[in-house]
Amino acid sequence: MSAVDGHRVAVLALPGVLPLDLGIPAQAFGSDPHYRITVCTDPSAGPVLSGGFTVGTSAGLEALRDADTVVVPGYEDPDSPLPATALSAIRSAHERGARLVSICTGAFALAAAGLLDGRPATTHWRDAAELQRRYPRIDVRPNLLYVDDGDVLTSAGVTAGVDLCLHIIRGDYGAAAANARARLLVAPPRRSGGQAQFVDRFRPAARGEDLAPVRAWMLDNLAHRQSVDELAHRAHMSRRTFIRRFQQETGTSPMAWLTDARIDWARELLETTAGPVEQIARLSGLGSPAAFRAAFHRRVGTSPADYRATFRVTAPGDALRPPAG
């Protein structure tokens, strides 16, 4: 598609559309001369309301018939049934070759249309488990900012939607075009989709309390070496029984849970203290500074220094606090 004709983008506002999610593609593509954007709704679904806003547009689902790209922003209640007419229009657009893009919970609409089966996809970290539960054939990647699977692309929450739109512009028209849009949006010109979402914590919540005292001890002793045998002894269980029970209560292994707990504590220290990396590596139990940086980057998708620069919230010079249980 030439810049003169314009790449046609249809943004489908579903019932309960999130205003900020709707604004992302409108801002990213709306004033770019390479694109022609249309915001549309499903008239059969009635007024599209969310957060005190009403979406007013004269375009209906027919806008999807000619679109080169269809964007589905997130909506308030992914548990609510979607209009069959909207799902059919989404499927038809994909069948004729349109590129499908979702922002945040918009992934649930693509999933309901059957377009994510057998594919990698992501959504807001808060909703990823529910997406996987409802659609087990999807390869849900809960920690990624966005997933580009060719003709179907999905992203996490708000800022990840911006990242994905810039990624699309970069792929369509090159880095210069994407960088120009990023400057206008006052956004980073590029964040890799492989970077992890900034979730509140990595370690999973427990579904049982029998091993809660052992987990509390683990949290109180993150700086110290811990072994499965020692933890099993504290639980008064055999190694095999302890591993099995821990998996049942947390959904993961003791050492994986411990590593995530250490990453969570390291993130908190980076956010709230001015302690050097060497000290944080020691206090979190993640080993040498080099080992800490490698483990942090592998799990979070960015370096400790970059993470601190993004999330540091208190004044320099704060003392390092002991970890809370």
Side-chain angles (χ1 to χ4, degrees), residues 14-15 45 75 77-84 86-87 112 134-135:
L14 293 169
Y75 50 100
D77 185 7
D79 289 331
S80 62
L82 294 173
L87 296 179
R134 289 174 56 183
Y135 303 100

Side-chain angles (χ1 to χ4, degrees), residues 159-224:
T159 56
V162 176
D163 295 325
L164 180 54
C165 289
L166 292 174
H167 169 77
I168 289 170
I169 295 171
R170 182 175 296 103
D172 288 346
Y173 297 106
N179 292 344
R181 295 308 298 164
R183 283 191 292 271
L184 289 173
L185 295 170
V186 196
R190 183 168 191 170
R191 287 200 299 169
S192 167
Q195 180 172 320
Q197 295 186 43
F198 293 121
V199 301
D200 59 346
R201 70 178 190 180
F202 283 113
R203 73 178 188 273
R207 299 189 292 267
E209 294 300 319
D210 289 349
L211 294 178
V214 176
R215 289 192 298 274
W217 185 89
M218 294 167 74
L219 291 175
D220 287 340
N221 294 273
L222 293 177
H224 304 298

Side-chain angles (χ1 to χ4, degrees), residues 8-226:
R8 294 161 298 188
V9 178
V11 181
L12 176 59
L14 293 169
V17 67
L18 299 172
L20 196 52
D21 287 6
L22 178 62
I24 288 169
Q27 284 288 97
F29 302 118
S31 59
D32 189 312
H34 297 102
Y35 297 93
R36 288 192 291 126
I37 185 170
T38 301
V39 176
C40 60
T41 62
D42 182 349
S44 70
V48 177
L49 303 171
S50 177
F53 292 88
T54 301
V55 178
T57 175
S58 59
L61 295 175
E62 70 280 355
L64 274 63
R65 298 174 192 157
D66 300 319
D68 302 300
T69 295
V70 174
V71 182
V72 184
Y75 50 100
E76 284 183 338
D77 185 7
D79 289 331
S80 62
L82 294 173
T85 47
L87 296 179
S88 177
I90 292 172
R91 280 191 293 267
S92 296
H94 181 255
E95 288 169 1
R96 64 166 181 76
R99 175 172 57 192
L100 273 293
V101 178
S102 69
I103 297 173
C104 195
T105 52
F108 282 81
L110 301 190
L115 300 180
L116 296 183
D117 288 352
R119 290 180 178 267
T122 194
T123 187
H124 193 290
W125 60 265
R126 180 191 57 204
D127 302 294
E130 178 63 14
L131 181 66
Q132 186 69 86
R133 185 191 68 80
R134 289 174 56 183
Y135 303 100
R137 294 182 62 188
I138 302 175
D139 178 13
V140 177
R141 308 285 179 88
N143 295 327
L144 300 186
L145 293 178
Y146 59 84
V147 174
D148 181 345
D149 196 40
D151 57 338
V152 177
L153 301 89
T154 54
S155 69
V158 178
T159 56
V162 176
D163 295 325
L164 180 54
C165 289
L166 292 174
H167 169 77
I168 289 170
I169 295 171
R170 182 175 296 103
D172 288 346
Y173 297 106
N179 292 344
R181 295 308 298 164
R183 283 191 292 271
L184 289 173
L185 295 170
V186 196
R190 183 168 191 170
R191 287 200 299 169
S192 167
Q195 180 172 320
Q197 295 186 43
F198 293 121
V199 301
D200 59 346
R201 70 178 190 180
F202 283 113
R203 73 178 188 273
R207 299 189 292 267
E209 294 300 319
D210 289 349
L211 294 178
V214 176
R215 289 192 298 274
W217 185 89
M218 294 167 74
L219 291 175
D220 287 340
N221 294 273
L222 293 177
H224 304 298
R225 183 180 180 277
Q226 301 182 31

Side-chain angles (χ1 to χ4, degrees), residues 258-280:
L258 177 61
T259 297
D260 281 349
R262 285 170 165 162
I263 292 290
D264 287 339
W265 177 232
R267 291 167 63 208
E268 185 171 344
L269 293 175
L270 289 167
E271 292 173 18
T272 60
T273 77
V277 166
E278 293 77 9
Q279 193 175 14
I280 292 176

